[in-house]
Amino acid sequence: YTRHGLAFLRKQQWDQDHGGFIERLDKNDRPDARWQPWKQMYGQAFGIFAAAGAYAATRDRRALDLAIEGFRWIDRHAHDQEHGGYFELLKRDGSPVIDETPGEGQDDFLRMGIKDYNSSIHVMEALTELYRIWPDTLVRTRLEEMFLLIRDTFVHPEGYLQLFFEPDWTLVSRGPAEAGDEAGQWFREHFTYGHDVETAFLLLETAHFLGWGEDKKTHQVAKQLADHSLASGWDADRGGFYDAGVAGENGIRIINPHKSWWGLVEGMNALLLMHTLYPDDPLDYYTLFLKSWEHIDTYLIDKTHGGWYNAATDTYPENVDRPKSHIWKTTYH
């Protein structure tokens, strides 16, 4: 399976004309016409991550070559040499999209040269995987840069991810109006609990492979990410992390009560990791871990037909009649 996926990445999804990974192909292996002009850093990161992981598993030199080529492509085209980090949206030739938008939607503002939290944490993850198998000096330089940006810039001192930044690292804010939430403004600045607990793990993993595994600040930040999610995004009655919350005049309120399959699994992983690091903590991470698994076993796993729903049925009961499979649902999490 790994070799099959690698061959497809190399032959079909690598852009033979411009370089970089083509993220969406039609059934004839041609670039999807609806997405053809664009490449996102999110997809490039996972292409590098996959190729590096394939090399670790198979020692197939072609996998390493593809991972290296992918890294060199994003570094040549998408790395911000002035302010650091990587731009999110690129044209097909790799040039960053700075002053235009690709279409309509609530996240059009992201297409204006914005640096994105989700892509950034996965760039760090991909470079960590690449550095493990190819300890190149430039890879380490970029990995250190991404690690420090995520830990010290993306993560707010109170322990949650700040989501979108201008190229110079000015935070993109949702503005002062609470009423703007109904217009989609919440999307610019909300708590995304699955990503917060995922980032806690990724920071500790990267620190380990950089040789910084005992760094006190990194451990503090990772614990804050987990603790803030427990304080504001955890269902104390049934267990499980909600999808999203937002800060308002009356404190944090949950704006998406769905409990997504991937966020719940990342949450279970983070809770067990916190228990391993802090077994005597008053929050009792291990009891919360057990409650998280009980919640998943009760509300997320389809005991009749098998497989996992997309979201837990305690807060999204109609989900039992929705498709279980889609392009984002993978065993990665």
Side-chain angles (χ1 to χ4, degrees):
Y1 282 118
T2 299
R3 293 184 189 279
H4 172 77
L6 175 65
F8 194 85
L9 278 176
R10 288 176 55 245
K11 295 176 182 178
Q12 274 81 19
Q13 291 202 253
W14 184 259
D15 190 335
Q16 303 299 326
D17 296 322
H18 301 286
F21 293 101
I22 299 170
E23 295 169 45
R24 305 187 190 195
L25 303 172
D26 63 23
K27 62 183 179 180
N28 297 311
D29 292 340
R30 292 190 297 258
D32 188 325
R34 296 167 297 175
W35 199 249
Q36 184 174 355
W38 314 106
K39 291 187 172 109
Q40 283 187 272
M41 186 51 55
Y42 185 92
Q44 305 306 310
F46 274 109
I48 296 166
F49 182 78
Y55 178 74
T58 65
R59 294 296 159 177
D60 185 333
R61 178 68 200 198
R62 293 171 296 181
L64 178 58
D65 290 343
L66 183 61
I68 293 171
E69 192 172 5
F71 164 70
R72 287 175 173 165
W73 190 86
I74 65 166
D75 204 65
R76 183 166 61 252
H77 294 287
H79 182 255
D80 186 339
Q81 300 289 349
E82 182 177 2
H83 300 293
Y86 290 86
F87 293 108
E88 164 61 9
L89 191 72
L90 313 172
K91 296 180 181 179
R92 189 173 173 186
D93 64 3
S95 54
V97 177
I98 303 296
D99 56 359
E100 58 185 285
T101 59
E104 299 179 356
Q106 67 175 1
D107 62 344
D108 280 353
F109 74 98
L110 298 181
R111 314 308 191 184
M112 307 288 284
I114 296 301
K115 291 165 182 173
D116 171 276
Y117 72 103
N118 199 11
S119 294
S120 294
I121 65 173
H122 293 304
V123 168
M124 180 180 73
E125 180 182 37
L127 296 184
T128 300
E129 189 73 12
L130 180 58
Y131 185 68
R132 288 175 60 182
I133 61 168
W134 189 58
D136 175 75
T137 301
L138 182 58
V139 172
R140 183 180 178 98
T141 297
R142 297 292 187 252
L143 180 57
E144 290 178 354
E145 177 183 287
M146 292 306 302
F147 173 85
L148 293 172
L149 283 169
I150 291 164
R151 190 192 68 179
D152 301 341
T153 299
F154 276 99
V155 178
H156 189 277
E158 293 181 6
Y160 58 86
L161 278 170
Q162 301 175 106
L163 305 185
F164 308 111
F165 290 84
E166 302 289 353
D168 64 358
W169 300 107
T170 300
L171 181 67
V172 175
S173 173
R174 66 187 172 98
E178 182 99 345
D181 291 349
E182 284 68 38
Q185 295 298 311
W186 63 268
F187 188 73
R188 303 183 181 210
E189 192 177 302
H190 66 277
F191 306 119
T192 170
Y193 299 113
H195 290 107
D196 284 354
V197 295
E198 183 180 22
T199 301
F201 168 75
L202 292 177
L203 282 170
L204 290 168
E205 179 184 55
T206 297
H208 172 73
F209 286 106
L210 285 173
W212 302 345
E214 301 305 317
D215 178 71
K216 291 183 179 179
K217 181 174 182 179
T218 302
H219 280 254
Q220 178 187 13
V221 169
K223 190 176 187 302
Q224 284 181 309
L225 285 165
D227 291 355
H228 182 272
S229 296
L230 285 169
S232 64
W234 172 259
D235 183 344
D237 294 326
R238 294 192 181 96
F241 290 100
Y242 296 113
D243 183 71
V246 68
E249 294 180 357
N250 298 316
I252 296 173
R253 60 189 175 92
I254 300 300
I255 55 172
N256 186 358
H258 294 174
K259 301 172 182 176
S260 64
W261 62 276
W262 69 270
L264 293 177
V265 177
E266 294 290 357
M268 195 163 59
N269 182 35
L271 289 170
L272 191 57
L273 178 61
M274 288 299 112
H275 165 68
T276 303
L277 294 172
Y278 308 103
D280 300 320
D281 192 273
L283 286 174
D284 192 359
Y285 296 111
Y286 189 64
T287 296
L288 295 173
F289 162 77
L290 293 176
K291 188 169 185 175
S292 182
W293 166 243
E294 181 183 11
H295 172 265
I296 288 173
D297 190 42
T298 304
Y299 297 106
L300 195 63
I301 297 175
D302 185 342
K303 299 299 180 61
T304 302
H305 303 290
W308 293 39
Y309 300 118
N310 282 316
T313 57
D314 57 330
T315 58
Y316 191 13
E318 61 269 34
N319 191 51
V320 298
D321 296 319
R322 304 290 171 86
K324 289 175 182 165
S325 180
H326 48 77
I327 65 170
W328 299 109
K329 194 161 185 190
T330 74
T331 54
Y332 158 78
H333 291 283

